[in-house]
Amino acid sequence: MISKVKNAMSTLVGGMIPHGHHQHHGSGNVHHQNCHQDGLPPLFPYGRPEFLDLTSELLQYSTEHASRPVLTLKRDSRLPWRTGYAETINAGKSMLNEDQASCELLYVKKLSDKKQSNSTLLDDNGVRLPEDGTGIPLQYWGMFDGHAGSGCAIMASKLLHRLIRDRLEDIAHLLENPSAALPICLSNNGSPYQGAVKKGANATQDSEKPDAIPDPSIRFHMEKAVSLESLIMGVIENAFKQMDELIEKEEMSYTISGGCCALAAIHLMGKLYVANAGDSRAIIIRNGEVIPMSNEFTPESERQRLQYLGFLRPELLGNEFTPMEFPRRIQYRELGRKMLFRDHTMNGWAYKTIVEDDLKFPLIYGEGKKARVMATIGVTRGLGDHDLKVYNSNIYIKPFLSCCPEVIVYDMSEYEHGPDDVLVMGTDGLWDVTTDREVADTVSGFLSCCEPTDPVRYTLAAQDLLMRSRGVLKERGWRLPNERLGSGDDITCYVIPLAGPAGPAGPEGPETET
Amino acid sequence: MISKVKNAMSTLVGGMIPHGHHQHHGSGNVHHQNCHQDGLPPLFPYGRPEFLDLTSELLQYSTEHASRPVLTLKRDSRLPWRTGYAETINAGKSMLNEDQASCELLYVKKLSDKKQSNSTLLDDNGVRLPEDGTGIPLQYWGMFDGHAGSGCAIMASKLLHRLIRDRLEDIAHLLENPSAALPICLSNNGSPYQGAVKKGANATQDSEKPDAIPDPSIRFHMEKAVSLESLIMGVIENAFKQMDELIEKEEMSYTISGGCCALAAIHLMGKLYVANAGDSRAIIIRNGEVIPMSNEFTPESERQRLQYLGFLRPELLGNEFTPMEFPRRIQYRELGRKMLFRDHTMNGWAYKTIVEDDLKFPLIYGEGKKARVMATIGVTRGLGDHDLKVYNSNIYIKPFLSCCPEVIVYDMSEYEHGPDDVLVMGTDGLWDVTTDREVADTVSGFLSCCEPTDPVRYTLAAQDLLMRSRGVLKERGWRLPNERLGSGDDITCYVIPLAGPAGPAGPEGPETET
């Protein structure tokens, strides 16, 4: 086993991720066939999250499928809010751990306060510019569950937070005056539009009075109030889209393998924004109670959206797939009989007479973790996958995938959080074998046994949580205490204390006992 | 006022609904311009629900906008489960009450048990065939909130339940053996498909063994289990679609004015199926607690679905509308500036530089009750509206509307219902001014003061509820007790006791004291 891993590692160190070494389970039977990428260098070398600060020996150790070591933070590492973190590699489904994570404290500065720089996002190749601590602080936690390679997850873990920060800087002047009503229209210099100067003699500013236009549809001249919270949601949504476009662009010059689900939590100005595109999950555990902070996007949960697209744009199905769902494959000899089906308009099922077209493979097929889009991929939102095609065909999957996250907002100020109130973020490896309730009970039980001021209590809680989903290796595979199968997937989790900003040990300040 | 109504009534009695007499508020500024209908007779004459059994004098009285009489059931009328009902006309926005309702006890029979009849759905013009009490009983409550005329709502109130019953009869043999697993495939005669006879020498039935096909995609040969509940949901969904198609078809021969929201509750075999297409609402009040049984479908709640369609099929927008949403109309002089927007992928808002295309009218515009699709209609699901166009254009609205209901299922057997546990169904007139909580408190408070065995307690509760939303006429219009404006819309509501089937007075049996 070691020799195999060593062999792989020698490739790794050079940063090349060998093609075709992935076994495809979990997020899909995905096959990347885009030949133009062959021979291109990777944009970033394989590695584990920066904050783990692994030696190359530990990096090698982290890839051992036989022992599946649990990696956690070093005792002296400091993530914002004393965040806890743990990860482990899969049981053999892919050579490398395709999950990635990043955790950052950033500062949002007004463009005018920022030193002008011509460097683009990629110029420094992911190395952070030193922060001088001025601007609006932004805490960020991201996790990226890769499939068909780790390239896309690595790139997103290096860059997504910077895109979010940059987009927030475009509106920093609005963030700094949060009490002012959000201006609907901005001048080219970004300042609120103070009204146009009318042509003609009576040039006046008309920003104070309502528009006086001789328009019969005057009844529509109302304005919708837009909150700052909605604007920040929009920033996050568009940063995901920009990330996806950047991946596509850089694929011209680099090998950026596969795709990834993305789950990010952003704390800004007293609110927590949890953005999810994929099948990772976030929950808040508050006073032992579970508050869901994300919804999963899978072929089952997004069936109707995908069927609707296939219905409206049948050419995307390449004459191979039908937008109808059937409970199983139809055989040719069943033509003319009646079979259960549902289309994009239905949640229930009905019988239809089978016609020739129904013999095509269903766009959405399978149940639960085995559900697939076009027999290929098991998640419907995420980043990358631009070159993903149905096996042995020229049918692209990407039009059916969405890179847009759902953003759920949590107002931190509406509740006084204790030291055991946390946000738990995990890739599907965690949740596949452990329910929300079990996660809450595990974390709450563990934290109640730790000193509230213990600086590593959240890391230990994350480690404990992860072990509960991985299990221990027995003769019949990885087993949970109840003898059920543990998760064989890559597993990553954060345990983030919500008392963080007010908690006993902030990221910068000295530890104080409470 | 009376003379004006009388004048209208003389037209009414003949069954003709005069065109162009509707003022367009509420569900939309809708304009039907389909000239080919002019001169065609109405399919059904205007009237109020059959179960009200109104004399022509009372029918006339019911249209008085000045007094807005509340119509309830007669003391001796018997709806299934002692259902309570009340309605009132609008405060003047349309000449007639465009709400309609129907309540039926039907029986689902196997096709073989049914006398063969060549009559189609419309042959008896809505008159029910006598039921002989055999078959599976089905209780049905429907309400239809019409707009731009009452023709569509009347037609749906006469026929939708019969379509549902007929579709259920197609699967009656499956309903009668509810414990058996639902067959995925049926033979042409409707019986579960027992496997095809293989061509060649070894002709055997292969229904017992899994398909043995030399197919590399053998991993997909799993079967999804489909429940009887899902099949009944599918029946209801498809009955709505069929109703919509029937309206379109009959519009060739009759005037069927406008469109309508549709809300239907179906009780079958111990489960309650609540199907909603539009902005009516149903809630269960159980032990004083509110359980929502429907979601409203409006330009705001369905914004992303509609924008997605406009994005994928821009030709449907007729070069007049943009699929983007803006918080207000953009003026030409604002070209080049930045304005808040959101597209079909976003829930948040962002700024975009205004280009020429953004000057088009937004597909979705306005807030709350004033939100409209293409400046025309304020609901996004329902029946009819096939000829509805944007004012002064050739742009049809129908492609953006959906006739598919969302069906929510409630298992009656999971809770022992007391006499004060009810399902409340109401058109938007009820809910616009009264919250779920207020409705629950009003109904619970009222019922707790009535004898549990009083045969009219639910009718009185419905009447009380309706009065709370209509208010009383004061100098400054219809006012609620708190002086806020009452609803000026048509209002219809059902109060349906959930102890119904087991309650003290069933629809057929004699009243018994408990």
Side-chain angles (χ1 to χ4, degrees), chain A residues 78-100:
Chain A
R78 279 293 162 75
L79 295 185
W81 299 2
R82 298 194 290 164
T83 294
Y85 175 84
E87 63 163 65
T88 191
I89 196 168
N90 61 78
K93 72 165 200 167
S94 65
M95 191 182 65
L96 300 173
N97 184 344
E98 294 180 346
D99 282 2
Q100 288 293 338

Side-chain angles (χ1 to χ4, degrees), chain B residues 44 48-53 73 78-85 100-108 124-131 136-144 153-166 168 263-268 272-273 425 494 496 507-508:
Chain B
F44 297 100
R48 299 312 308 151
E50 282 177 41
F51 55 70
L52 288 179
D53 198 20
L73 295 162
R78 279 293 163 73
L79 295 185
W81 299 3
R82 297 194 289 165
T83 294
Y85 175 85
Q100 289 292 337
S102 49
C103 180
E104 301 287 338
L105 172 64
L106 304 162
Y107 291 90
V108 180
D124 56 5
N125 219 12
V127 179
R128 274 169 294 163
L129 296 168
E131 298 279 4
I136 303 169
L138 180 162
Q139 286 82 13
Y140 170 93
W141 301 262
M143 65 176 47
F144 306 90
I154 293 174
M155 181 172 174
S157 75
K158 303 278 185 202
L159 298 178
L160 178 62
H161 53 282
R162 303 176 65 197
L163 288 170
I164 292 172
R165 195 260 317 270
D166 290 355
L168 286 169
L263 173 64
I266 294 105
H267 177 258
L268 184 73
L272 196 60
Y273 299 82
M425 296 167 65
Y494 279 122
I496 304 165
E508 286 81 39

Side-chain angles (χ1 to χ4, degrees), chain B residues 3 11 16-17 27 35 44 47 158 204 223 285 292 307 464:
Chain B
S3 71
T11 325
M16 290 297 287
I17 299 153
S27 288
C35 295
F44 297 100
K158 303 278 185 202
T204 55
E223 281 193 0
I285 304 164
Q307 287 185 308
D464 180 59

Side-chain angles (χ1 to χ4, degrees), chain A residues 198 206 209-215 218 221, chain B residues 331 333:
Chain A
K198 278 186 189 152
D206 62 356
K209 59 189 178 84
D211 301 319
I213 300 169
D215 186 343
I218 192 75
H221 278 274
Chain B
Q331 296 154 46
R333 59 181 179 177

Side-chain angles (χ1 to χ4, degrees), chain B residues 432-450:
Chain B
D432 284 349
V433 295
T434 318
T435 65
D436 289 7
R437 188 67 257 159
E438 287 165 349
V439 166
D441 291 345
T442 302
V443 172
S444 297
F446 188 91
L447 289 177
S448 68
C449 300
C450 290

Side-chain angles (χ1 to χ4, degrees), chain A residues 105-239:
Chain A
L105 173 64
L106 304 162
Y107 291 90
V108 180
K109 297 176 198 197
K110 267 209 288 202
L111 293 175
S112 54
D113 298 345
K114 229 177 137 184
K115 281 182 203 119
Q116 288 299 318
S117 149
N118 290 321
S119 73
T120 66
L121 198 66
L122 285 170
D123 276 357
D124 57 4
N125 218 11
V127 179
R128 274 169 294 163
L129 296 167
E131 297 280 4
D132 62 5
T134 65
I136 303 169
L138 180 161
Q139 287 81 11
Y140 171 92
W141 300 262
M143 65 176 48
F144 306 91
D145 181 352
H147 50 256
S150 48
C152 182
I154 293 174
M155 181 172 174
S157 75
K158 303 278 187 202
L159 299 179
L160 178 62
H161 54 282
R162 302 176 66 198
L163 288 170
I164 292 171
R165 195 259 318 270
D166 291 356
R167 292 293 73 69
L168 286 170
E169 287 182 339
D170 296 341
I171 56 161
H173 57 293
L174 300 172
L175 298 177
E176 286 180 354
N177 298 297
S179 61
L182 214 53
I184 283 176
C185 192
L186 296 179
S187 298
N188 291 336
N189 66 4
S191 65
Y193 169 48
Q194 289 296 321
V197 176
K198 278 186 189 152
K199 283 174 187 163
N202 298 316
T204 55
Q205 285 206 324
D206 62 356
S207 63
E208 296 303 301
K209 59 189 178 84
D211 301 319
I213 300 169
D215 186 343
S217 62
I218 192 75
R219 66 186 179 283
F220 295 111
H221 278 274
M222 50 197 175
E223 282 193 358
K224 202 165 192 163
V226 174
S227 66
L228 189 62
E229 183 182 303
S230 297
L231 190 64
I232 295 170
M233 277 176 66
V235 160
I236 296 168
E237 290 170 336
N238 284 325

Side-chain angles (χ1 to χ4, degrees), chain A residues 29 171 174 182-188 190 193 195-198 206 211 213 215 217 219-227 229-235 237-238 241 300 305 308-309 311-314 325-329 331 333-334 336-343 345-351 353-354 361 364-367 370-372 375-376 381 399 402 404-407, chain B residues 29 171 174 182-188 190 193 195-198 206 211 213 215 217 219-227 229-235 237-238 241 300 305 308-309 311-314 325-329 331 333-334 336-343 345-351 353-354 361 364-367 370-372 375-376 381 399 402 404-407:
Chain A
N29 308 285
I171 56 161
L174 300 172
L182 214 53
I184 283 176
C185 192
L186 296 179
S187 298
N188 291 336
Y193 169 48
V197 176
K198 278 186 189 152
D206 62 356
D211 301 319
I213 300 169
D215 186 343
S217 62
R219 66 186 179 283
F220 295 111
H221 278 274
M222 50 197 175
E223 282 193 358
K224 202 165 192 163
V226 174
S227 66
E229 183 182 303
S230 297
L231 190 64
I232 295 170
M233 277 176 66
V235 160
E237 290 170 336
N238 284 325
K241 266 185 265 185
E300 286 189 310
R305 174 177 76 78
Y308 192 40
L309 179 59
F311 170 77
L312 289 172
R313 287 269 179 89
E325 185 188 10
F326 299 101
R328 66 161 165 80
R329 287 300 304 274
Q331 295 153 45
R333 59 180 178 177
E334 291 173 321
R337 297 207 159 74
K338 286 179 177 169
M339 186 166 246
L340 286 169
F341 84 104
R342 50 182 178 174
D343 65 21
T345 68
M346 299 168 70
N347 269 307
W349 293 79
Y351 289 100
T353 302
I354 300 166
F361 200 91
I364 306 293
Y365 193 66
E367 260 182 303
K370 287 179 179 155
R372 293 282 179 279
T376 304
R381 298 210 189 182
S402 167
C404 303
E406 181 189 43
V407 182
Chain B
N29 308 286
I171 57 160
L174 300 170
L182 216 51
I184 284 176
C185 191
L186 296 180
S187 298
N188 291 337
Y193 170 47
V197 177
K198 280 187 187 150
D206 61 358
D211 301 320
I213 299 169
D215 185 344
S217 63
R219 66 186 179 283
F220 296 111
H221 277 275
M222 50 197 174
E223 281 193 0
K224 202 165 195 166
V226 175
S227 66
E229 182 182 304
S230 297
L231 191 63
I232 295 169
M233 276 175 68
V235 159
E237 290 170 335
N238 285 324
K241 267 185 264 184
E300 286 189 309
R305 174 177 77 77
Y308 191 40
L309 178 59
F311 170 76
L312 289 172
R313 288 268 179 89
E325 185 187 11
F326 300 100
R328 66 161 165 78
R329 286 302 301 276
Q331 296 154 46
R333 59 181 179 177
E334 290 173 323
R337 296 207 159 73
K338 286 180 177 169
M339 184 164 246
L340 286 169
F341 83 102
R342 50 182 177 175
D343 64 20
T345 68
M346 300 168 69
N347 268 307
W349 294 79
Y351 288 99
T353 302
I354 300 167
F361 201 92
I364 306 292
Y365 193 68
E367 261 183 303
K370 286 179 180 156
R372 293 281 179 277
T376 304
R381 299 210 189 183
S402 166
C404 303
E406 181 188 43
V407 182

